Amino acid sequence: MSMPPAAEQLDVKKHFTSSILLWVRTDQPRQTGMDYWKGPHSGIISATPGLEEYRQIHLAEHNPGRWPATGGVETSIPVDRKIDGVAEVTFRSALAPSQGRKQTKLAYADEINVFRRTLLYAGPPNSSRWYDVAGPGEKAGARVLVYLRRRDGAGAGEFRKFVKKRLVPALAGSGVLKELRTQTFLPWVEKLWDTRTSPTTTPTTSASTPPSFSGSPTPQHGTPSSPAT
């Protein structure tokens, strides 16, 4: 049995990325909200100066989660944690968000048209890593998101080391992935994402981050922006 490649052996590019977890409004058909996010709202974000990439990941409506039951680990997704999608915003540099303030204000104002809750997770520059695992000409099809929350008492450095040294090599070594990206987040702070149009606080009935989701990708490319959904 071959051993997974060490993380240092993988071709990796480091980026500055934020992820925004999204819940669409429930007072209209779900597909109406998803279409608005993909269309008009996406146009606002894509026009922002300073973006390297803006990507939407639309998740399945009925999504039980795919992570196997594991003793001592919460692997089922609580109802209030089932998100509808994720917006991944990657900037060209740490200074790029300041270039998109005008467009970000437009995005904030437009949120109420489509979302009932938004939740920003941000990481420091270079904490987003994109690994080259695809063969020549291969492209990703369906995507799976896996969110991990470090156990109480585990340090942030220890957690980052686990992701880089153990999880990434194991996933890359499976030989079936066409895309592999990781992000490690800073502690969540509500004031970093106070849009004043839709709730930005974490759901209160569960203390865990959703462990996994599956869905289809809807890529949207643009030029730099500041964290906007």
Side-chain angles (χ1 to χ4, degrees):
M1 180 178 178
S2 61
M3 296 296 292
E8 291 81 359
Q9 297 174 342
L10 295 171
D11 184 15
V12 59
K13 295 180 180 179
K14 299 178 181 180
H15 298 273
F16 181 28
T17 303
S18 295
S19 287
I20 304 96
L21 279 60
L22 305 168
W23 289 257
V24 296
R25 287 169 46 175
T26 55
D27 60 343
Q28 60 186 10
R30 181 179 185 271
Q31 193 57 49
T32 299
M34 302 299 280
D35 290 343
Y36 188 92
W37 177 32
K38 181 180 179 180
H41 193 78
S42 173
I44 295 173
I45 309 303
S46 297
T48 308
L51 281 183
E52 179 175 345
E53 180 188 83
Y54 168 58
R55 182 166 76 165
Q56 298 181 350
I57 300 179
H58 293 215
L59 302 177
E61 180 176 5
H62 303 292
N63 203 333
R66 307 298 178 184
W67 204 255
T70 304
V73 179
E74 183 176 322
T75 57
S76 61
I77 305 174
V79 173
D80 64 333
R81 289 273 174 169
K82 290 187 177 181
I83 60 178
D84 294 298
V86 176
E88 293 182 352
V89 184
T90 300
F91 306 101
R92 292 177 182 170
S93 71
L95 299 178
S98 64
Q99 302 175 26
R101 292 174 180 172
K102 179 179 178 180
Q103 208 67 15
T104 297
K105 289 181 180 179
L106 295 177
Y108 284 172
D110 190 57
E111 278 192 351
I112 197 171
N113 293 321
V114 58
F115 303 120
R116 60 185 173 91
R117 183 180 298 279
T118 65
L119 190 61
L120 169 72
Y121 283 104
N126 296 326
S127 61
S128 172
R129 296 169 182 254
W130 301 359
Y131 295 90
D132 185 9
V133 294
E138 292 182 331
K139 294 184 179 180
R143 289 182 171 91
V144 173
L145 303 179
V146 181
Y147 286 94
L148 303 174
R149 182 181 182 183
R150 56 188 169 96
R151 186 182 296 276
D152 290 342
E158 180 184 2
F159 181 76
R160 289 193 297 268
K161 183 178 180 180
F162 165 78
V163 172
K164 179 181 177 181
K165 302 290 187 179
R166 297 185 62 184
L167 183 60
V168 165
L171 292 173
S174 68
V176 300
L177 298 183
K178 304 299 184 292
E179 179 182 277
L180 178 59
R181 297 184 179 187
T182 65
Q183 292 176 254
T184 51
F185 302 125
L186 294 168
W188 181 80
V189 178
E190 182 178 358
K191 285 300 181 182
L192 289 178
W193 194 237
D194 186 7
T195 67
R196 305 184 186 279
T197 57
S198 59
T200 58
T201 54
T202 55
T204 57
T205 59
S206 173
S208 69
T209 300
S212 66
F213 303 97
S214 60
S216 58
T218 302
Q220 300 289 337
H221 300 278
T223 47
S225 99
S226 58
T229 47

